[in-house]
Amino acid sequence: GAVVSQHPSRVICKSGTSVKIECRSLDFQATTMFWYRQFPKQSLMLMATSNEGSKATYEQGVEKDKFLINHASLTLSTLTVTSAHPEDSSFYICSAMDGYSNQPQHFGDGTRLSIL
Amino acid sequence: KQEVTQIPAALSVPEGENLVLNCSFTDSAIYNLQWFRQDPGKGLTSLLLIQSSQREQTSGRLNASLDKSSGRSTLYIAASQPGDSATYLCAVRPGRGSQGNLIFGKGTKLSVKP
């Protein structure tokens, strides 16, 4: 079945570092990719939506200059957390969907980001 | 504004039991509904997708139903196993097309005791 691959699975780094997370759709064309953030024991919070070749649409309260999203191809999207600080520590999950089909939205395995 | 509620928040059952997880949503204008499973520290695994025109979907021991007019969906798990222990999330895609963003419930944490 369709698979979404997300890397890295775990990042631990110092405050001020920029961190890039990759999300790939392995066997389908992802016309739309989504980035979520999940706090402990909470549900997913949508951060932004991106369509291939277009600028991402950010949810209210999400800083676009802090969380840079690139969706350059139909199989790859990246999220860069710029100048990360401890409050950015969280579980980030990407998701992908082929908007032209009736297939489910698929999710990656998530990235645990810890900023020291 | 669409809201999704899942009851119960947590459930513990002995192995072998059949069980039902509930999901309700406030606006019946949905494109589809999806059930997911999330293991601790992991992403989401899609279990079943029900289009707005469908009443139910089945996959193995899982059966999901949809009653759009009453704003309800149930996930039925037959003959539960310890490996079914996880958090189950229900999400609806609002609107008439695929452009709407999924709106998630807070999940039901299931524990199946051997």
Side-chain angles (χ1 to χ4, degrees):
Chain A
V3 175
V4 173
S5 176
Q6 184 174 344
H7 292 282
S9 59
R10 179 74 193 251
V11 179
I12 302 173
C13 58
K14 294 180 179 179
S15 183
T17 305
S18 292
V19 177
K20 179 186 281 189
I21 304 170
E22 287 192 353
C23 181
R24 295 180 184 272
S25 59
L26 296 185
D27 60 358
F28 68 99
Q29 292 187 329
T31 58
T32 307
M33 284 189 165
F34 309 83
W35 288 94
Y36 295 83
R37 184 171 179 174
Q38 187 177 34
F39 293 101
K41 299 184 179 181
Q42 298 292 317
S43 192
L44 281 71
M45 182 189 78
L46 180 65
M47 298 174 66
T49 304
S50 70
N51 295 305
E52 184 264 337
S54 302
K55 287 184 178 180
T57 300
Y58 289 81
E59 295 298 297
Q60 191 172 9
V62 179
E63 300 175 57
K64 62 180 182 181
D65 295 330
K66 174 76 171 178
F67 300 99
L68 301 179
I69 292 171
N70 184 282
H71 188 172
S73 76
L74 283 171
T75 59
L76 174 65
S77 176
T78 60
L79 167 67
T80 301
V81 184
T82 61
S83 187
H85 292 285
E87 59 266 29
D88 298 323
S89 299
S90 189
F91 191 56
Y92 293 86
I93 307 177
C94 77
S95 180
M97 182 178 75
D98 179 354
Y100 295 107
S101 75
N102 284 330
Q103 294 303 306
Q105 183 172 329
H106 293 282
F107 286 74
D109 278 340
T111 297
R112 172 71 58 191
L113 176 62
S114 300
I115 307 298
L116 305 177
Chain B
K1 178 185 173 185
Q2 178 73 269
E3 292 182 0
V4 179
T5 303
Q6 290 186 247
I7 295 173
L11 181 63
S12 182
V13 300
E15 182 177 5
E17 271 203 10
N18 302 324
L19 58 100
V20 174
L21 307 181
N22 296 293
C23 173
S24 62
F25 45 97
T26 54
D27 189 340
S28 62
I30 65 169
Y31 183 67
N32 58 37
L33 182 147
Q34 213 168 334
W35 280 94
F36 297 90
R37 167 187 175 138
Q38 185 175 29
D39 292 286
K42 297 291 187 181
L44 276 63
T45 300
S46 178
L47 298 174
L48 290 163
L49 169 69
I50 309 178
Q51 302 295 342
S52 62
S53 58
Q54 297 174 327
R55 298 284 290 183
E56 67 176 349
Q57 284 287 322
T58 298
S59 176
R61 293 182 294 108
L62 305 179
N63 175 279
S65 68
L66 174 63
D67 184 343
K68 200 172 70 165
S69 61
S70 68
R72 295 179 188 275
S73 176
T74 62
L75 179 67
Y76 175 81
I77 302 177
S80 58
Q81 303 170 358
D84 295 331
S85 298
T87 296
Y88 289 81
L89 294 164
C90 165
V92 301
R93 190 177 305 282
R96 299 182 183 276
S98 62
Q99 294 77 22
N101 294 321
L102 286 176
I103 297 174
F104 285 86
K106 292 186 177 180
T108 294
K109 186 174 182 179
L110 173 65
S111 177
V112 181
K113 305 294 186 184

